[in-house]
Amino acid sequence: EAPYAVGSGLTVGKTGTVGWGLFIPSASRNKDAAWDVIRWVTSPENDVYMGVHGGGPFRASTLRSKEYAAAAKATDVILQAIAHGAPVWNPSGTLPRASEVIDKSVLELTAALSGKQSAADACTNMARHIKEIALS
């Protein structure tokens, strides 16, 4: 959990959260087919498959699944962060090239959570990405 100030009235820290979304444009000529694709991509079995193979799950049930827990680290921490996060956080506009920083940070965090690099290395790499992308 993120830290919080004593006397703030909070019982847990708040942190920003980001996520993925799938949308059907209002001008789409194939809304039914697009909806079929979204339902297929986000089905429980496909979500587990994507999560186990390095994708970001859409479903909390995937985060709780035995298959995903075997492939990823700290799923309980991820679920806590989602439960206590501030879903309206949006750095776009306040941080130059925020989406690039987020994309690279997600890759670093995934590598750390999957045991492919240390948490310290992930943090060092994320700081480097912020410096090179957003602060240059």
Side-chain angles (χ1 to χ4, degrees):
E1 294 178 6
Y4 59 95
V6 175
S8 68
L10 295 173
T11 56
V12 296
K14 293 287 185 186
T15 187
T17 58
V18 296
W20 290 264
L22 300 174
F23 305 92
I24 301 171
S26 61
S28 172
R29 288 182 258 165
N30 298 305
K31 288 183 176 84
D32 290 339
W35 179 237
D36 287 343
V37 170
I38 289 173
R39 282 197 327 253
W40 178 79
V41 167
T42 61
S43 71
E45 33 309 315
N46 286 336
D47 199 51
V48 168
Y49 178 86
M50 287 185 294
V52 167
H53 292 89
F58 288 98
R59 297 173 169 270
S61 60
T62 298
L63 291 168
R64 292 185 192 99
S65 73
K66 292 176 188 174
E67 299 89 350
Y68 187 74
K73 305 281 190 255
T75 55
D76 56 332
V77 174
I78 295 168
L79 286 165
Q80 285 181 354
I82 291 169
H84 299 296
V88 296
W89 180 70
N90 181 2
S92 298
T94 58
L95 179 64
R97 298 168 60 193
S99 61
E100 292 176 67
V101 172
I102 291 168
D103 289 346
K104 290 196 180 274
S105 296
V106 166
L107 292 174
E108 298 296 344
L109 288 171
T110 300
L113 291 171
S114 65
K116 293 180 182 172
Q117 74 175 343
S118 70
D121 287 344
C123 291
T124 298
N125 292 338
M126 286 188 289
R128 180 175 44 81
H129 295 314
I130 291 168
K131 183 177 180 184
E132 291 172 357
I133 296 169
L135 302 178
S136 59

